[in-house]
């Protein structure tokens, strides 16, 4: 049995599509749906009012970082280019060739491990745009920006170079106003004020609020929210749950709350939340921008190579390329993407740094 008979870019894509159907969906992908361009020119990456994003320069001609099963590294360039590889070593290929029957349990174990390696690369590629989007929706200093750190280098993508968004669409609560002060804080009033600020700037009223689980827990414990829930009930209420909090915000302010709990591992292997604690982000219904994918070098040149098997995944620009090298005899799986979100409806959002 030869590895290329059972392991290909198309097979990896089919397997990934089946696995993805059982996963929790990324919130950011719905708010910033994927779009594809053959390049990733600056003019396509926009903030509000059609202003282009400020990107940091680097270079494209960097060799892909080989990823071990225990490590996690990424390469990127000027246009947010990411590329990683796994190698099926000669020893693994020898094990596969020893097995003549593809239904043999031993063969299945080896093949599953190889496909899992490829799936890990794709999963890592899918994390990248979601991290970018959540950085835009929860700006630590009030100005939406993307900061990517890898290989001891930081690349910055500034969506608010003049701090206009920070001035009009952001507030940092302090003192007893912080939502962590569940006795004195007034989240309903804060959200209503934020809605009014967006109406003044964009003429729209945001109707969705994104928070983390910890922030929702503060809302459940908030004295003013409890009082409001009790006042609307015909019977005594002892316990305020998430459902009651959501119903109150919906009834009083027309706001639907999304508690986003999905997590990822960063470059160091530390588990992080995509959407951080300490924020509440108000957004309008519908999409907020697009996640732009460009044509990767693997897509551009690999498809024309007889030694490369290339497949672009579904509705994204994530590219899978399987190649065979000689001396040593190895099969290499490379996953790459060129990606950056645009944020055309930025002015219709509002961010509260609530504690």
């Amino acid at each position: 049995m030869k590895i290329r008979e059972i392991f290909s870019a198309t097979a990896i894509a089919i397997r990934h599509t089946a696995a993805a159907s059982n996963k929790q969906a990324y919130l950011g992908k719905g708010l910033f749906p994927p779009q594809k361009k053959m390049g990733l020119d600056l003019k396509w990456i926009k903030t509000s009012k059609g202003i282009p994003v400020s990107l940091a320069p680097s270079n494209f001609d960097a060799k892909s970082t080989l990823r071990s099963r225990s490590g996690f590294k990424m390469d990127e360039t000027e246009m947010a280019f990411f590329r990683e590889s796994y190698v099926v070593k000669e020893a693994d290929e020898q094990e596969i060739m020893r097995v003549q029957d593809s239904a043999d349990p031993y063969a299945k174990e080896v093949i599953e491990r190889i496909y899992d390696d490829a799936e890990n690369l794709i999963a890592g590629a899918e994390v990248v745009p979601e991290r970018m989007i959540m950085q835009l929706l929860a700006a630590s200093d009030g100005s939406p920006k993307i900061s990517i750190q890898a290989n001891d280098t930081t690349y910055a993508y500034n969506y608010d170079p003049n701090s206009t968004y920070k001035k009009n669409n952001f507030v940092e609560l302090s003192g007893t106003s912080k939502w962590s002060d569940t006795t004195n804080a007034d989240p309903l009033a804060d959200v209503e004020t934020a809605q009014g600020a967006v109406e003044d700037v964009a003429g729209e009223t945001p109707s969705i609020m994104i928070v983390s689980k910890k922030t929702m827990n503060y809302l459940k414990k908030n004295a003013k929210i409890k009082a409001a829930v009790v006042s609307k009930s015909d019977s005594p209420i002892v316990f305020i749950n998430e459902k009651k909090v959501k119903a109150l915000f919906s009834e009083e302010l027309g706001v639907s709350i999304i508690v986003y709990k999905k997590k990822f591992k960063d470059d160091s292997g530390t588990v992080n939340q995509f959407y951080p604690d300490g924020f509440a982000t108000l957004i309008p219904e519908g999409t907020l921008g697009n996640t732009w994918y460009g044509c990767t070098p693997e897509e551009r040149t690999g498809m024309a190579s007889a030694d490369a098997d290339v497949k672009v995944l579904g509705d994204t620009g994530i590219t899978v390329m399987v190649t065979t090298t000689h001396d040593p005899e190895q099969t290499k799986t490379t996953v790459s993407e060129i990606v950056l979100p645009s944020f055309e409806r930025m002015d219709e959002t509002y961010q509260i740094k609530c504690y």
Side-chain angles (χ1 to χ4, degrees), residues 35-47:
Q35 298 283 348
K36 186 71 181 291
K37 282 288 176 184
M38 291 311 294
L40 198 61
D41 194 289
L42 290 175
K43 68 182 180 180
W44 295 108
I45 308 303
K46 303 291 186 180
T47 62

Side-chain angles (χ1 to χ4, degrees), residues 51-195:
I51 299 172
V53 178
S54 175
L55 302 181
S58 184
N59 60 75
F60 254 93
D61 297 318
K63 186 177 180 180
S64 63
T65 300
L66 287 181
R67 173 176 176 173
S68 67
R69 289 190 177 94
S70 60
F72 183 85
K73 291 184 178 180
M74 292 182 291
D75 284 346
E76 69 267 284
T77 67
E78 176 181 340
M79 299 300 184
F81 174 47
F82 298 81
R83 179 167 57 193
E84 293 186 89
S85 301
Y86 267 133
V87 169
V88 180
K89 298 179 181 179
E90 288 180 318
D92 291 326
E93 296 205 26
Q94 287 293 106
E95 290 179 346
I96 292 173
M97 290 179 67
R98 284 168 48 193
V99 182
Q100 300 300 315
D101 184 0
S102 62
D104 187 295
Y106 180 73
K108 182 178 180 182
E109 179 182 341
V110 176
I111 295 165
E112 285 289 334
R113 188 176 74 244
I114 294 171
Y115 272 105
D116 285 345
D117 288 347
E119 177 62 26
N120 287 338
L121 287 178
I122 297 171
E126 291 178 329
V127 162
V128 172
E130 190 74 0
R131 290 182 67 182
M132 290 178 168
I133 290 166
M134 293 305 145
Q135 285 187 27
L136 294 178
L137 294 179
S140 59
D141 65 352
S143 290
K145 59 175 64 72
I146 293 169
S147 178
I148 299 174
Q149 295 179 331
N151 299 332
D152 300 319
T153 304
T154 300
Y155 298 88
Y157 306 80
N158 194 349
Y159 288 65
D160 187 34
N162 299 318
S163 296
T164 303
Y165 184 93
K166 182 175 182 177
K167 178 182 178 181
N168 298 320
N169 299 70
F170 172 82
V171 66
E172 181 173 0
L173 304 179
S174 61
T176 58
S177 295
K178 293 183 178 181
W179 291 4
S180 53
D181 185 342
T182 56
T183 301
N184 299 294
D186 193 349
L188 281 166
D190 294 332
V191 172
E192 185 177 36
T193 299
Q195 286 180 304

Side-chain angles (χ1 to χ4, degrees), residues 296 298-299 310-313 317-321 334-337:
T296 66
E298 285 71 24
E299 180 183 358
V310 180
K311 180 71 175 179
V312 179
L313 297 182
I318 297 174
T319 306
V320 179
M321 181 173 74
T334 300
V335 172
S336 60
E337 64 183 339

Side-chain angles (χ1 to χ4, degrees), residues 112-337:
E112 285 289 334
R113 188 176 74 244
I114 294 171
Y115 272 105
D116 285 345
D117 288 347
E119 177 62 26
N120 287 338
L121 287 178
I122 297 171
E126 291 178 329
V127 162
V128 172
E130 190 74 0
R131 290 182 67 182
M132 290 178 168
I133 290 166
M134 293 305 145
Q135 285 187 27
L136 294 178
L137 294 179
S140 59
D141 65 352
S143 290
K145 59 175 64 72
I146 293 169
S147 178
I148 299 174
Q149 295 179 331
N151 299 332
D152 300 319
T153 304
T154 300
Y155 298 88
Y157 306 80
N158 194 349
Y159 288 65
D160 187 34
N162 299 318
S163 296
T164 303
Y165 184 93
K166 182 175 182 177
K167 178 182 178 181
N168 298 320
N169 299 70
F170 172 82
V171 66
E172 181 173 0
L173 304 179
S174 61
T176 58
S177 295
K178 293 183 178 181
W179 291 4
S180 53
D181 185 342
T182 56
T183 301
N184 299 294
D186 193 349
L188 281 166
D190 294 332
V191 172
E192 185 177 36
T193 299
Q195 286 180 304
V198 175
E199 289 174 2
D200 292 341
V201 172
E204 299 286 341
T205 303
S207 58
I208 299 170
M209 182 169 72
I210 306 169
V211 298
S212 69
K213 182 179 179 180
K214 182 176 180 180
T215 302
M216 171 54 74
N217 287 337
Y218 280 136
L219 294 178
K220 290 191 294 184
K221 296 175 183 178
N222 183 268
K224 291 183 173 61
I225 289 177
K226 283 184 177 180
V229 172
V230 170
S231 69
K232 293 179 176 296
S233 177
D234 296 330
S235 59
I237 295 178
V238 178
F239 178 70
I240 305 296
N241 59 21
E242 184 175 308
K243 182 178 179 181
K244 291 184 176 68
V245 173
K246 289 182 175 181
L248 179 66
F249 273 82
S250 178
E251 183 177 345
E252 293 296 318
L253 301 175
V255 170
S256 300
I257 299 178
I258 296 174
V259 182
Y260 194 37
K261 305 173 185 177
K262 199 170 179 69
K263 299 179 181 181
F264 69 96
K265 284 186 179 180
D266 63 17
D267 304 29
S268 66
T270 303
V271 176
N272 294 275
Q273 299 174 167
F274 280 109
Y275 187 85
D277 295 327
F279 283 87
T281 304
L282 290 162
I283 63 174
E285 292 186 2
T287 60
L288 304 178
N290 295 286
T291 300
W292 289 100
Y293 287 88
C295 179
T296 66
E298 285 71 24
E299 180 183 358
R300 185 177 62 251
T301 62
M303 287 185 172
S305 173
D307 296 327
D309 178 23
V310 180
K311 180 71 175 179
V312 179
L313 297 182
D315 56 359
T316 71
I318 297 174
T319 306
V320 179
M321 181 173 74
V322 177
T323 55
T324 300
T325 61
H326 305 287
D327 192 21
E329 299 294 323
Q330 296 178 335
T331 299
K332 181 180 179 182
T333 304
T334 300
V335 172
S336 60
E337 64 183 339

